[in-house]
Amino acid sequence: MEFARAELVSAVTPIEPLPNLSALLGIDLHIKRDDLAGTTMGGNKSRQLEYYLGAAQAAHADTVLITGAVQSNFVRTAAASAAKLGMKTIVQLEARVPDVDALYGSNGNVLLSRLLGAEVMYYPSGEDEAGADAALRERAAQERQAGRTPYVIPLALGNPPLGALGYMRAAEEILQQDSAFDVVVIASGSGLTHAGMLAGLRAVGHSARVIGSCVRRDAQQQRKRIRTVLDALAELTAHASQVGDDDIMIWDEALTPGYGQLGPPAAEAMAMMARTEGLVLDPVYTAKVFAAVPALVESGEITKGSRVLFVHTGGLASLFAYQSALENAFPHG
Ligand SMILES: *Cc1c(COP(=O)(O)O)cnc(C)c1O
């Protein structure tokens, strides 16, 4: 089945070796630079948006509606990508993170979304995906009454996981670059990135272990979510899922203290990557994901000498909204 796709990621993102970390950890570590995918600070959401905005274009939409956390990279990337395609964006920001300061509400992705011309609305809960989607749809109905053609990018399970198609495509791209990886370490939040990569590799018979590192929910909840997304993806693509339950690998030890909050394991991972390889991770997602690599080498789940691919999914725009958390984590940094 062919899906409409807007071309937002015009170049293959590099796979680079990380020689200093490889020597430190005793593995052969590479990084997939999806932080460079797409426009305006890029990231994994550019690949997902190719399919959502492709569908929006096919529906002749002129307005895109999307919901996310206040420092959501998804809404910022949507605002940039939709602007490029000539569509207006309405972003809904959910109060998902406790104890935030003024910079959190105004800098980083919020600043960029406004600069990109998005209209910003707010939703009071961060744990009600169905409610957040319902509020978007209500707003979309108002736009329709006003003569516009809205397209809603939904958040909750139960909607076709179009975004996962972007990571099935990314799996193909990776295999064309280098197919010799034993392990792929990747973010697991909404699950579209994790499920798409896993399904994409298995669809062509590649057996690399795909370890999803939790950024939003604990391992038990996330395992169920990934199963649900994989089944929905199989239905969407009309192919039986080639991923068994045992093939869903989840690690959640850097999630602490919760979504959007920087805890010690993530801060250590950020420092390790920055000071060893000169590459910056973000406090919400990629620091928690990369933390799995040294931890799983230490526990023996990733054996010495393995070829490991860490997928950098972006998120750098939020760094400047997390100034106080970062200053607390790195007081002399
Ligand atoms: C959204 C996001 C993720 C998580 O991706 P999902 O597809 O939601 O699981 C990881 N990294 C960054 C930088 C993100 O913005």
Side-chain angles (χ1 to χ4, degrees):
M1 186 171 169
E2 278 294 309
F3 295 92
R5 183 171 72 88
E7 194 169 313
L8 301 173
V9 184
S10 55
V12 169
T13 61
I15 291 178
E16 297 167 351
L18 297 175
N20 304 330
L21 279 172
S22 293
L24 188 71
L25 298 171
I27 57 174
D28 183 9
L29 181 63
H30 287 66
I31 185 168
K32 173 70 168 167
R33 297 292 307 276
D34 268 8
D35 55 317
L36 304 176
T39 188
T40 312
M41 304 187 81
N44 65 332
K45 300 314 182 317
S46 301
R47 293 191 187 273
Q48 300 187 10
L49 284 163
E50 286 200 326
Y51 290 93
Y52 291 111
L53 296 186
Q57 284 184 311
H60 305 289
D62 54 22
T63 306
V64 174
L65 295 97
I66 184 167
T67 190
V70 171
Q71 283 298 330
S72 164
N73 300 299
F74 203 7
V75 308
R76 175 257 306 164
T77 313
S81 305
K84 185 172 168 170
L85 300 176
M87 294 183 264
K88 176 190 163 178
T89 309
I90 300 175
V91 308
Q92 175 175 268
L93 304 182
E94 306 162 25
R96 209 184 275 177
V97 178
D99 305 325
V100 293
D101 61 12
L103 273 185
Y104 179 84
S106 60
N107 204 344
N109 284 305
V110 179
L111 183 79
L112 290 173
S113 290
R114 292 191 195 280
L115 176 63
L116 291 159
E119 183 185 326
V120 178
M121 60 189 249
Y122 290 89
Y123 190 73
S125 166
E127 298 302 333
D128 179 9
E129 293 189 329
D133 284 348
L136 275 192
R137 291 207 164 92
E138 204 172 294
R139 180 56 200 267
Q142 290 168 10
E143 292 294 312
R144 199 172 287 112
Q145 271 181 346
R148 300 189 66 95
T149 308
Y151 180 85
V152 171
I153 300 176
L155 178 64
L157 293 172
N159 296 289
L162 287 176
L165 298 172
Y167 268 85
M168 290 190 76
R169 197 177 153 83
E172 279 172 36
E173 179 178 306
I174 288 168
L175 295 180
Q176 278 169 15
Q177 291 171 283
D178 183 342
S179 62
F181 292 105
D182 305 309
V183 181
V184 176
V185 176
I186 198 162
S188 205
S190 74
L192 298 177
T193 301
H194 179 183
M197 177 64 65
L198 185 52
L201 290 174
R202 296 300 179 264
V204 296
H206 200 281
S207 61
R209 288 158 67 202
V210 177
I211 299 174
S213 182
C214 296
V215 296
R216 180 76 197 276
R217 302 169 189 82
D218 67 23
Q220 199 188 351
Q221 288 176 288
Q222 192 64 12
R223 176 175 300 285
K224 281 191 212 140
R225 190 174 180 104
I226 296 300
R227 179 76 265 164
T228 304
V229 176
L230 284 167
D231 292 345
L233 185 57
E235 193 180 320
L236 180 68
T237 57
H239 289 293
S241 178
Q242 293 169 34
V243 184
D245 290 349
D246 293 347
D247 211 6
I248 301 173
M249 297 180 181
I250 312 265
W251 184 84
D252 69 358
E253 289 171 34
L255 176 61
T256 176
Y259 175 79
Q261 297 170 272
L262 180 66
E268 275 167 40
M270 271 184 101
M272 181 186 269
M273 181 64 86
R275 294 166 190 186
T276 311
E277 293 286 356
L279 266 172
V280 177
L281 303 172
D282 81 289
V284 181
Y285 299 101
T286 50
K288 295 183 179 186
V289 178
F290 178 65
V293 175
L296 293 172
V297 170
E298 169 116 11
S299 73
E301 274 168 82
I302 295 177
T303 51
K304 295 273 178 184
S306 298
R307 285 196 91 228
V308 179
L309 183 67
F310 162 65
V311 182
H312 192 328
T313 45
L316 295 186
S318 79
L319 271 180
F320 305 99
Y322 275 83
Q323 183 174 339
S324 55
L326 294 169
E327 282 177 352
N328 285 337
F330 307 112
H332 308 291

